[in-house]
Amino acid sequence: MGVQRFTGKAAVNFVYVADYSKMIAISKDTKDFYSTADTGFISQNVYLFCASEGLATVVLGWIKRDKMSEILKLKKDQHIILSQSVGYPADIQEIPTMEE
């Protein structure tokens, strides 16, 4: 459910979801901070793996979160942070546009 067309061509699209119900006794700002930091760590490891294997990857914040949440049947406290497309370089080199 990425906005850019190449997300449909990617071999894999990861969706990083934070479950705020598992973070007890901290503010929403702190939950947001840890969720985004952890997502950054994970996605960087995917970037490193892709670089080692000749694959291409891109992290996407411009995604249809409401539609994806519905499809994934996420609960109220589960929030999509980012998605990440992985594929062959020719498939995901397209420059993002707002056409879709």
Side-chain angles (χ1 to χ4, degrees):
M1 302 271 46
V3 176
Q4 297 91 343
R5 285 183 296 236
F6 64 81
T7 60
K9 295 179 185 177
V12 176
N13 287 293
F14 293 109
V15 178
Y16 300 114
V17 177
D19 189 346
Y20 283 21
S21 70
K22 297 188 185 246
M23 295 182 252
I24 302 169
I26 57 175
S27 71
K28 182 186 179 306
D29 286 343
T30 303
K31 291 176 184 181
D32 291 342
F33 171 78
Y34 284 116
S35 298
T36 55
D38 288 345
T39 299
F41 301 145
I42 297 165
S43 68
Q44 183 61 37
N45 284 328
V46 174
Y47 269 98
L48 292 170
F49 174 80
C50 289
S52 75
E53 299 300 313
L55 297 170
T57 187
V58 62
V59 167
L60 305 164
W62 186 22
I63 53 179
K64 298 175 183 177
R65 284 179 176 80
D66 291 341
K67 184 70 173 171
M68 290 172 71
S69 294
E70 182 182 317
I71 290 168
L72 296 171
K73 297 180 175 149
L74 298 182
K75 298 175 186 168
K76 181 182 169 211
D77 285 338
Q78 295 173 319
H79 302 273
I80 295 173
I81 307 301
L82 295 170
S83 70
Q84 186 170 14
S85 296
V86 175
Y88 298 101
D91 290 340
I92 64 172
Q93 282 185 346
E94 174 187 325
I95 297 172
T97 65
M98 298 224 15
E99 293 176 26
E100 296 181 63

